[in-house]
Amino acid sequence: MTSSLIRGRPRRGTSQISGRVVLALLGGLVGAAWLVLPGLTIRDEGPAASGAERPVAGAVAQGEVGETSAADLVLPLLAVIVVVGVAGYGFFRRRRRARGRTTPGGVPGRAAEPDVAELDKRARALLVAADDSVRVSREELGFVEGGDEVGDVEAFARALRDAEGELAVAFRMRWQYEGGVPQEGAARRHALAGIVGRCAEAGRLLDAQAAAFDRVRGLEEGLGGGLGHALVVAEARFRELAGRTGGAGAALGELGARYGPGATAAVAGHAEQAKDRLVFATARLNQARQRADLGDNERAAGRLRAAEGAIAQAAVLIDGIERLTVELATAAAMVPAALTGGEAEIAGAQESLAYASVPPGELRARVAHADVVLAVVREDLTSGRYDPLDLLRRIVRGVGPVALGRTGVITAAALLCARSAVAGADDVVATHRAAVGSKARTWLAEARRLLAGPASVPDLLTADTLAQQARELAEQDIRLYGHPLDGPAADADGITGAVLGGILLPTEPNGGPPASFGGPRTRDRRGDPPTA
């Protein structure tokens, strides 16, 4: 894709200015010639006078010549003044227009290019905005899929998939840019412009379907239309999540007692955050019902969308606890097999021709390191309380440099660890959209890309590492973001969590327009009325 920021046009400013200068000089030469020619004519006629009658005729002729010379002086001067004035006006007009551009020579029809720092800042902001739009659109589409409108949502699901594809390419370009690819200055500017274009296209794809999606939902038709059905669906999901929240909190306590606090650190606080989102959802659902009863369907729809956003994030938090419960149980059962498989990989590495190109000293160092790792893991198993996922990671990282996939268990262990890390990092981003910046999202997107590819131990190890780094970056962003609102009422009503989750906007009155299916322009379109 060739960006309009990069395409250039031939520079013709210098040639045009030179042309005007030549025109001025030519006009001056013409005027000078006009002044000189009459004088030459008079001097040529003077010597021809002779005889008695010549003085009288000569006197008359001299008077006529004087009158003619005066007239001839005025016209050339006027011509010179006009030509010089026109040329000067063109020159200074061109020079003033050239100064208004940043490109050399003032290339006509070409907009001023932003500097690289400004373009980079714009690219990072658009990555966040596009990622938020995709996430919110996926959430709201989830409240419609499987319902009575299932036959009408394929176009919206397709638009969402296309937007996800554009966003994935943009994140990949950003990942490469962060790694120094490309290196040349103009190519790096082109890469940033490509990121901007991909993000804009993702938003455009969603914005193009937003109005049609609104018509399918029919939220502004009132309780007799789509709003009544949507309230029923949202309230049913709310009740289901409220019942699961208590059980998830109890399960989290049991996991900590069995495996230790380190095993549950990834979901620490999830149950409390889920309750916070549900408190906010309760208030918004009640307000939606009240507004609908009054016939204020537009505000009722806004409050319903805010409630749906909170319900979706509560589901992410509860799902995270339940998913970790399964992952820990699976990892605990896999550790003994991974130890056995690791031993087989070590034994085979010493005999395999695949490592013939590896210097013997380096191969011995890899094998020795893997032996030490497996020995330490066996000791930790006897302690009684351990983090199964952590043990698997250590086995995979220790044995990975000598593993050739002979048993398959090492690959399976690496896949389990990578999936757990990617899902955990994604949960943090999804429930703290307002705080998490582009870098954490870029690292997460690259980890997700590697996880979706062919299952190889090196790629899975990299995906696991990147996902853990993405989570650390996201948590750092959240700490820097701080507490978005002041006052106990904000915490009591769950508003603080809603702001952190990007459901409400802290800079807008009453939380601003609701997040909904569509791109960045859709939320701007919903600026009135506010959701609170």
Side-chain angles (χ1 to χ4, degrees):
M1 182 179 72
T2 302
S3 170
S4 60
L5 295 174
I6 299 168
R7 291 194 295 268
R9 303 173 87 180
R11 298 182 178 180
R12 292 173 290 182
T14 303
S15 62
Q16 291 180 5
I17 293 173
S18 301
R20 291 188 175 91
V21 173
V22 171
L23 181 61
L25 292 175
L26 182 60
L29 291 174
V30 172
W34 201 346
L35 288 172
V36 172
L37 286 176
L40 294 175
T41 304
I42 295 170
R43 286 193 295 271
D44 289 341
E45 293 176 353
S50 61
E53 295 182 357
R54 294 290 179 162
V56 175
V60 174
Q62 288 176 0
E64 292 176 353
V65 169
E67 293 176 359
T68 303
S69 299
D72 288 342
L73 285 173
V74 174
L75 293 176
L77 286 174
L78 289 176
V80 170
I81 292 172
V82 169
V83 171
V84 172
V86 171
Y89 170 76
F91 174 79
F92 287 107
R93 183 167 177 263
R94 179 68 185 179
R95 188 175 181 182
R96 183 174 62 252
R97 291 171 62 186
R99 287 176 178 175
R101 298 180 174 90
T102 60
T103 54
V107 180
R110 184 173 180 179
E113 293 183 353
D115 57 29
V116 174
E118 181 182 348
L119 191 58
D120 179 61
K121 181 179 180 181
R122 184 184 178 196
R124 286 186 280 111
L126 288 178
L127 275 172
V128 172
D131 191 40
D132 284 349
S133 297
V134 166
R135 290 176 181 276
V136 172
S137 298
R138 190 186 301 123
E139 288 176 0
E140 188 171 6
L141 186 62
F143 280 89
V144 178
E145 288 178 323
D148 296 336
E149 309 94 335
V150 66
D152 300 323
V153 300
E154 176 54 33
F156 311 123
R158 183 169 57 253
L160 178 59
R161 289 193 298 269
D162 292 343
E164 289 172 339
E166 294 288 341
L167 182 60
V169 174
F171 272 127
R172 178 61 178 164
M173 294 172 69
R174 183 68 198 188
W175 171 257
Q176 292 174 329
Y177 182 89
E178 293 280 353
V181 178
Q183 296 181 349
E184 198 268 332
R188 288 180 69 78
R189 177 186 288 275
H190 186 85
L192 290 174
I195 295 170
V196 170
R198 293 284 184 173
C199 292
E201 178 63 12
R204 188 198 66 79
L205 288 168
L206 295 174
D207 282 327
Q209 294 293 331
F213 186 81
D214 288 347
R215 289 192 294 270
V216 168
R217 295 208 73 186
L219 297 183
E220 296 183 3
E221 296 176 5
L223 294 174
L227 181 60
H229 173 75
L231 279 169
V232 170
V233 172
E235 288 167 348
R237 294 195 182 183
F238 171 86
R239 289 190 294 269
E240 184 257 340
L241 279 173
R244 289 169 56 195
T245 301
L252 192 58
E254 294 175 0
L255 291 175
R258 181 176 181 180
Y259 298 113
T264 60
V267 295
H270 273 34
E272 289 72 19
Q273 292 181 51
K275 292 176 183 178
D276 184 73
R277 299 296 195 279
L278 292 178
V279 167
F280 176 83
T282 300
R284 288 304 186 270
L285 287 173
N286 291 337
Q287 292 171 5
R289 283 283 182 187
Q290 294 169 2
R291 291 291 181 178
D293 290 339
L294 295 174
D296 190 356
N297 298 328
E298 190 173 0
R299 284 186 171 83
R303 285 157 174 76
L304 172 63
R305 282 192 166 99
E308 288 175 341
I311 291 170
Q313 292 191 12
V316 169
L317 295 164
I318 298 303
D319 289 344
I321 296 175
E322 295 175 349
R323 183 183 63 247
L324 182 62
T325 302
V326 175
E327 290 170 349
L328 289 174
T330 304
M334 191 180 291
V335 167
L339 284 170
T340 302
E343 292 169 350
E345 294 286 0
I346 292 172
Q350 296 171 320
E351 303 171 358
S352 176
L353 295 177
Y355 290 102
S357 59
V358 179
E362 181 180 344
L363 181 59
R364 285 194 298 270
R366 293 183 188 180
V367 169
H369 175 71
D371 278 332
V372 170
V373 170
L374 295 184
V376 173
V377 169
R378 290 190 190 92
E379 291 180 3
D380 290 343
L381 278 175
T382 61
S383 64
R385 291 194 357 153
Y386 55 87
D387 180 354
L389 281 171
D390 177 63
L391 295 187
L392 275 187
R393 281 193 175 93
R394 288 154 60 185
I395 293 172
V396 172
R397 294 183 186 282
V399 178
V402 298
L404 293 176
R406 296 174 182 82
T407 62
V409 66
I410 300 299
T411 302
L415 182 61
L416 176 61
C417 294
R419 283 177 176 171
S420 177
V422 169
D426 193 76
D427 290 351
V428 174
V429 176
T431 54
H432 298 83
R433 292 195 308 259
V436 180
S438 63
K439 189 171 185 177
R441 299 175 193 239
T442 302
W443 261 240
L444 175 60
E446 181 63 13
R448 191 184 296 115
R449 186 190 70 85
L450 292 172
L451 182 61
S456 66
V457 172
D459 283 349
L460 293 174
L461 282 172
T462 303
D464 184 36
T465 300
L466 289 176
Q468 289 180 311
Q469 292 174 346
R471 181 174 186 134
E472 292 173 0
L473 290 169
E475 291 173 346
Q476 180 180 349
D477 287 341
I478 296 168
R479 289 192 297 270
L480 292 174
Y481 190 81
H483 202 284
L485 299 173
D486 296 326
D491 291 331
D493 295 338
I495 296 178
T496 298
V499 170
L500 280 171
I503 301 168
L504 298 180
L505 301 177
T507 57
E508 296 289 336
N510 298 323
S516 60
F517 186 98
R521 293 184 179 181
T522 299
R523 192 163 193 175
D524 294 339
R525 175 170 59 85
R526 301 188 193 280
D528 288 314
T531 63

